[in-house]
Structures are given as C-alpha cells and as structure tokens.
C-alpha cells in the first residue's frame, strides 16, 4: 500500500526514513527492507534454500560455477538465480568477492544489493565501503593489496579486513599476507594456515605472496636485500602435522628458533632468502631428510648440518655474499659425518 489504511500492519522505513515520527509506533511495526526480506524468506522459503535444507547441494554448485565464470553475462545469470531462488550461507563469500573485486560495475552493483539484504549485520560496513580490489587476475602487487586491507582494518575493523583477506586468497591466491603478518587475530590466522595446508605440507611462501623464483635462470635474478619479520606459524601444529614446509623467498635473514617446534619436518625449503648461517638448534629437527638452501648468503659450508643425521639431500648452490656464486667447499668432516647425503654446491 502507498497510503496508511486500516489494512496496513507493517511499515518499511528503509535506511533513511523521512518523518518517521508521523507514524504511530503503537499501531504499526517498523521494518527495514532487510528485516522484511528475512521475514518473507522465513515464511516462504525459496528453491535454493529448500534444496540445501533437504541436503541437496548440487544446485548451489551450479550457481557457484556461474558466479566463477569469466563472462559477466553468466555471472549475472547466477546472481539472478540467487535473487529468485534464495541465498544460502555457503555462497555469501563468493558474492562478497564479486561485490569487491569484479571488473564489471553491474555485477558489483547487483552483488551489493543481494548482500545488503542477505549478509549478516557484521558485514554491512564492509559491503557499503567503497574500497575495491580490481584487476586481481593481472599483475597486482601483493603489497598494494596488503596496504588496502590495512586501510580497511583502520576504517572499519580488523575482522572485516581479515574476512576479505581469506576470501581474496581463496579466489585469487592473493591477499593473505595481511593475516600472516598481523600480530593479532589467532582465530583468523588459523583459518589462513588452513588454506596453506595440503595434507602434511605447508606452503607458507605462497601465502606471503613474494615472487616465486623457482625454475628461473639464477644469472637473471637480482634480489633486493629486503628482510622481513613475521610471526612464525607454529600455531598450525595445534591442528596439523607438518612434514614439509615451503619458506621459499620469505625474506628470512635467519632461521627462526620456533622452527624447532616442527619436530616432524622431513623436507624444508629455505631457498632464496638471506640466511648466512645454520644455528645449532636446527639439530633438533631430527627427522629432516631434504633441505633446500639455494640462493642464500653462505660464504662457507655450514658444518652444523652434520647434526641432521637423517639428511639425505642438501642443496647449497648459488650461495655467497651479495649473491656472488662461488661454490662452497665441503669439509672432509662433513663428508665423514654424512656419507650417504647428496650435497649440491
């Protein structure tokens, strides 16, 4: 109804009502648009919602495929299906990514409308914020994404930036550096670690998002002497057994002592860092069989490797101060201590 009559029981006031005081609150119940939508959805469940409640998630998978399409037309079809079929919790994060990162303005606008009606109240400030993350399929620098997320954490709150950090990484494999470098938010950081685990392998390097120098000609590489300190991910051991870890190009100047917590480690990749020595406590990693130390700053052979009795393979190629590749000399004591270890220099 466009006028107040005896049949009217509820009044939608929206976000910015004009003269709400003119409406008798004792006679009418005020509703925001979102409250009305939730009321209708409860009383008249839509198709997708009903299917999920009945245990059938295949329609949701089909909609998610449309939303992941590179074609904006397909994405809009998926959004229309959601609008008419109902929004399920499993797909809200996907819609959030469309709202904040899709290059098509119509897709972003439609996604925003759906989220404003269906997302939790704690998401609304993030949804309404104008900060966007576009062109993430291209060569957008991880640091630029990190700076935007830090800005978001200040303007809204840490939880909003953390939620977006996880969602960006799930879709684009970018954006997780924000959580990995942050000192607070243990619950969120554990969710980040989960994304970096594959069985018993932890790929921390991909999470930080620095350049992957694997399979690149060493003679064409020049690394800036940039060092980084970050909370070492030992909390991952609360939920996982870690037998291999990728710390390739994570800007380490030294091997963190917290690594001794990873007693199950068998393979460790520390390549393309600024490590100049092997501390004695590395000997506590008694299960290490393979160690990649290529492209570090060793000027002489790190004899503490002899403490790793199970070591079968170690790569020390392309090491030296300022990355002048002078092959290291293997002492006879190392050869005697590790007779079955393949050593590359």
């Amino acid at each position: 109804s466009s006028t107040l009559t005896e049949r009217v029981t509820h009044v939608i006031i929206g976000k910015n009502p004009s003269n709400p005081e003119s409406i008798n609150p004792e006679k009418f119940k005020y509703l925001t648009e979102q409250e009305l939508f939730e009321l209708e959805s409860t009383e008249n469940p839509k198709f997708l919602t009903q299917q999920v409640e009945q245990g059938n998630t295949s329609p949701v998978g089909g909609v998610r495929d449309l939303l992941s399409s590179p074609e904006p037309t397909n994405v809009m079809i998926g959004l229309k299906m959601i609008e008419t079929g109902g929004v399920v919790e499993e797909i809200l994060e996907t819609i959030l990514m469309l709202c904040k990162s899709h290059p098509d303005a119509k897709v972003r606008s439609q996604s925003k409308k759906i989220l404003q009606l269906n997302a939790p109240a704690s998401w609304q400030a993030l949804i309404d914020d104008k900060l966007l993350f576009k062109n993430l399929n291209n060569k957008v620098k991880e640091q630029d994404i990190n700076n935007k997320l830090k800005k978001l954490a200040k303007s809204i709150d840490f939880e909003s930036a953390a939620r977006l950090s996880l969602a960006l990484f799930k879709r684009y494999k970018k954006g997780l550096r924000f959580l990995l470098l942050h000192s607070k938010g243990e619950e969120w950081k554990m969710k980040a670690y989960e994304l970096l685990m594959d069985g018993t392998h932890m790929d921390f390097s991909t999470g930080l998002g620095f350049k992957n120098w694997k399979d690149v000609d060493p003679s064409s590489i020049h690394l800036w002497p940039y060092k980084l300190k970050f909370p070492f991910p030992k909390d991952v051991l609360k939920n996982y057994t870690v037998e291999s870890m990728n710390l390739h190009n994570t800007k380490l100047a030294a091997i963190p002592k917290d690594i001794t917590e990873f007693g199950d480690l068998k393979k460790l990749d520390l390549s393309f860092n600024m490590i100049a020595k092997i501390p004695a406590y590395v000997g506590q990693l008694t299960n290490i069989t393979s160690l990649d130390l290529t492209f570090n700053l060793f000027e002489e052979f790190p004899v503490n490797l002899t403490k790793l009795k199970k070591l079968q393979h170690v790569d020390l190629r392309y090491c030296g101060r300022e990355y002048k590749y002078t092959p290291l000399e293997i002492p006879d004591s190392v050869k005697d201590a590790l007779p079955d270890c393949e050593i590359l220099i």
Side-chain angles (χ1 to χ4, degrees), residues 35-263:
E35 288 171 336
L36 176 64
F37 189 83
E38 291 172 354
L39 184 63
E40 290 179 335
S41 299
T42 301
E43 294 186 356
N44 302 292
K46 296 185 178 181
F47 171 73
L48 285 175
T49 308
Q50 287 180 321
Q51 290 295 304
V52 171
E53 289 176 351
Q54 294 169 9
N56 181 14
T57 59
S58 56
V60 176
V63 172
R64 185 179 279 114
D65 289 342
L66 285 170
L67 298 182
S68 301
S69 171
E71 296 296 330
T73 302
N74 291 339
V75 178
M76 290 298 288
I77 292 172
L79 291 173
K80 188 64 178 178
M81 291 174 65
I82 289 171
E83 193 173 29
T84 58
V87 180
V88 294
E89 185 178 353
E90 297 92 320
I91 216 161
L92 279 175
E93 191 176 86
T94 303
I95 304 174
L96 178 64
M97 276 295 89
L98 295 175
C99 173
K100 288 299 176 183
S101 67
H102 201 278
D104 189 281
K106 290 183 179 179
V107 170
R108 295 198 306 272
S109 176
Q110 186 63 20
S111 300
K112 183 175 181 179
K113 289 178 182 177
I114 292 174
L115 288 172
Q116 286 175 330
L117 291 176
N118 295 275
S122 59
W123 290 32
Q124 295 304 318
L126 173 58
I127 294 165
D128 293 336
D129 190 270
K130 294 182 179 181
L131 193 64
L132 298 176
F133 296 78
K134 295 190 289 186
N135 301 317
L136 293 185
N137 286 322
N138 299 320
K139 294 183 178 180
V140 176
K141 292 183 179 179
E142 183 78 25
Q143 188 58 36
D144 292 340
I145 301 173
N146 187 40
N147 288 339
K148 283 189 175 183
L149 289 171
K150 289 195 290 186
K151 180 180 179 181
L152 199 64
K154 289 182 179 179
S155 62
I156 303 179
D157 54 40
F158 170 77
E159 287 73 18
S160 295
R163 179 175 292 108
L164 204 53
S165 174
L166 292 173
L168 286 167
F169 189 78
K170 289 177 184 178
R171 185 172 178 92
Y172 300 103
K173 295 300 179 186
K174 297 177 180 179
L176 206 60
R177 186 185 297 180
F178 170 78
L179 274 177
L180 297 182
L181 296 186
H182 216 285
S183 59
K184 71 174 186 178
E186 180 180 347
E187 180 183 352
W188 290 100
K189 194 165 291 187
M190 287 298 296
K191 293 179 180 179
Y193 295 159
E194 289 171 13
L195 297 179
L196 302 178
M197 289 299 303
D198 181 9
T200 59
H201 175 68
M202 186 178 198
D203 189 0
F204 196 79
S205 174
T206 298
L208 278 184
F210 291 108
K211 186 174 178 61
N212 187 341
W213 292 106
K214 294 288 188 181
D215 301 322
V216 177
D217 180 4
S219 63
S220 67
I221 296 173
H222 178 74
L223 296 184
W224 294 100
Y226 171 56
K227 301 174 184 179
L228 180 69
K229 290 184 178 181
F230 51 83
F232 204 69
K234 61 181 181 180
D235 286 346
V236 72
L237 298 174
K238 294 177 180 178
N239 296 333
Y240 293 92
T241 297
V242 179
E243 295 184 350
S244 64
M245 179 179 284
N246 179 15
L247 293 170
H248 167 84
N249 193 23
T250 49
K251 311 304 178 185
L252 285 171
I255 300 177
K257 192 167 185 179
D258 282 343
I259 203 167
T260 59
E261 302 281 339
F262 292 74

Side-chain angles (χ1 to χ4, degrees), residues 298-316:
F298 298 102
E299 292 188 311
E300 57 184 28
F301 196 94
V303 294
N304 275 338
L305 290 179
T306 58
K307 298 178 182 293
L308 304 174
K309 301 302 181 182
K310 293 184 179 181
L311 195 60
Q312 299 173 5
H313 175 88
V314 61
D315 197 337
L316 280 156

